[in-house]
Amino acid sequence: MDTTVAVRGRGITKVFGDVVALDHVDVSMAKGQIHGLVGPNGAGKTTLLGLLLGLAVADQGTLEIFGAPVGRALAAPDGVSGFVDGPGLYPTLTAKQNLAALVALRHRDAPSTGVDEALEQVGLTAVADDKVRGFSLGMRQRLGLAAALLTKPRLLVLDEPANGLDPAGKKHVHGVLNRLAADGATVILSSHRMDDLEALCSEVTILSTGRVVFSGPLNKLSDENRELDYRLRVSNTADARTVAAGTPGVGIVEGSDTVARGDTEVIVVRGQVAAMDELVARIVRADIALRELAPVVSPLEAAFLALTEQTAEKPGERHTEQPAEKAEEKAAEKSAPATSQQEAGR
Ligand SMILES: Nc1ncnc2c1ncn2[C@@H]1O[C@H](COP(=O)(O)OP(=O)(O)O)[C@@H](O)[C@H]1O
Ligand SMILES: [Mg+2]
């Protein structure tokens, strides 16, 4: 057994009716790391995280968590905590009562973080005695994270935790996850945007229509040879256009929707890094003031978009034939009640 690996999956396949949600997925996620699972809507992220939490069982393939095979029974493996599709919470109870209820359900001798401490870590101390009914999506996400922290998890699984978070909420969540990883826990979190994960993750797995299109360290993903769009803010756009048009490898993106209406100082140009270097030199030589040069989407987001667009097939292509009765069984398995998501946190 490889002691540096937290999660290893081989040939994982999960089918819902005629949709192949996961198609022979191989993954390996290192211990003590924050691993990002990225992909467009419908890529299979929630399905894969659900398998890790024991909310569903794969149709094919093997999945190991800390070297132990994940069984055929629907149950969260030991030391694994988290939620998919939003945390299950009781709306009529306060934040504190929700967590206290979870603590009461657990074995007395199980390791646990205190309720107050968990609330403090996610920045919800001030609303500890407020009913969850009035919480925003971001506050619910943070309370879900606090619930997962109660168990002192070895593996924390979070589905789209950045959804609905304001900058302060994001700061709290990032802080908690970084501390967990520093203490040796493994964190796996998903997002449909690469930018959400850039600051947090050292490694990512990119899923597209149920298949892994990239898995590895973030620095292997960006590619200087990829053409990117850049917003160029200058003192004189007419002159800058002329310079850009005359620079080899640089194109002007007309009618770009990343330019605010009426903003006459910005043009959007496209090219590789080397071509941009040359453009900057020429703009400065032409006595045009260069006030901003920034990629419209980050290089990693661009790599992600290129990879997922390349591999996205026409919807019909990933469908397989499945008997109807099996499809119903699968749908029932997925629609577990809210409490089973919390159960996964035990
Ligand atoms: N219970 C289910 N019944 C039928 N189809 C499902 C079910 N769960 C997921 N799917 C399908 O599987 C694919 C992957 O879904 P999901 O894992 O939720 O993607 P993601 O989380 O990346 O958006 C989608 O096409 C989705 O419609
Ligand atoms: Mg999802």
Side-chain angles (χ1 to χ4, degrees):
M1 174 189 129
D2 187 343
T3 55
T4 62
V5 173
V7 171
R8 183 190 299 281
R10 289 290 171 262
I12 297 175
T13 298
K14 181 74 184 173
V15 179
F16 294 108
D18 61 354
V19 175
V20 185
L22 297 173
D23 188 0
H24 296 91
V25 165
D26 291 339
V27 281
S28 183
M29 299 172 179
K31 259 189 206 168
Q33 301 273 330
I34 304 181
H35 192 105
L37 188 59
V38 214
N41 291 330
K45 303 178 298 291
T46 300
T47 304
L48 182 57
L49 298 180
L51 297 180
L52 291 172
L53 288 169
L55 297 172
V57 174
D59 296 316
Q60 276 175 47
T62 56
L63 182 61
E64 285 175 10
I65 299 181
F66 300 122
V70 174
R72 308 302 297 172
L74 294 178
D78 269 355
V80 182
S81 173
F83 55 85
V84 299
D85 290 334
L89 300 165
Y90 296 104
T92 53
L93 299 185
T94 67
K96 207 168 178 170
Q97 285 166 341
N98 264 279
L99 297 190
L102 283 173
V103 171
L105 286 171
R106 295 204 179 102
H107 291 296
R108 268 176 214 287
D109 50 0
S112 79
T113 301
V115 167
D116 292 334
E117 189 189 335
L119 285 170
E120 209 238 297
Q121 283 198 38
V122 300
L124 291 180
T125 304
V127 293
D129 296 317
D130 291 0
K131 289 206 167 98
V132 166
R133 193 166 44 202
F135 278 20
S136 67
L137 173 63
M139 288 159 84
R140 284 166 199 268
Q141 295 272 40
R142 281 148 75 187
L143 187 54
L145 175 58
L149 289 178
L150 291 175
T151 61
K152 288 203 187 288
R154 284 208 291 161
L155 173 65
L156 179 63
V157 175
L158 299 172
D159 193 20
E160 309 250 359
N163 280 359
L165 287 184
D166 58 16
K170 196 175 251 185
K171 208 171 140 202
H172 275 289
V173 170
H174 282 203
V176 169
L177 301 184
N178 281 321
R179 274 198 300 278
L180 276 172
D183 287 346
T186 308
V187 179
I188 301 173
L189 70 168
S190 69
S191 176
H192 57 278
R193 293 194 62 97
M194 185 62 117
D195 344 22
D196 278 345
L197 300 176
E198 286 183 39
L200 262 179
C201 301
S202 42
E203 291 191 338
V204 291
T205 295
I206 301 181
L207 281 179
S208 178
T209 55
R211 299 197 189 130
V212 174
V213 294
F214 174 87
S215 192
L218 275 181
N219 58 14
K220 289 236 171 99
L221 190 55
S222 48
D223 174 4
E224 286 219 335
N225 296 324
R226 181 168 285 122
E227 287 199 341
L228 291 185
D229 288 0
Y230 295 84
R231 284 166 54 90
L232 191 65
R233 186 177 292 280
V234 287
S235 54
N236 183 331
T237 41
D239 288 357
R241 277 174 179 275
T242 310
V243 174
T247 307
V250 174
I252 298 175
V253 184
E254 296 296 351
S256 171
D257 56 10
T258 62
V259 181
R261 202 174 300 193
D263 190 343
T264 53
E265 295 187 334
V266 171
I267 59 172
V268 175
V269 290
R270 179 174 297 166
Q272 297 179 358
V273 169
M276 287 307 132
D277 290 347
E278 178 60 23
L279 176 63
V280 169
R282 290 182 184 212
I283 283 178
V284 172
R285 278 204 298 271
D287 267 342
I288 303 165
L290 178 59
R291 294 169 178 161
E292 183 191 318
L293 174 72
V296 168
V297 297
S298 74
L300 288 178
E301 180 78 15
F304 162 68
L305 291 172
L307 276 169
T308 50
E309 272 158 21
Q310 259 168 32
T311 55
E313 302 151 301
K314 290 174 215 94
E317 283 179 7
R318 60 196 289 236
H319 289 191
T320 59
E321 291 306 313
Q322 278 269 318
E325 148 203 333
K326 188 139 193 225
E328 276 159 29
E329 194 180 295
K330 295 283 161 54
E333 182 180 296
K334 177 84 192 254
S335 61
T339 46
S340 78
Q341 292 165 6
Q342 293 187 334
E343 291 291 288
R346 272 184 308 173

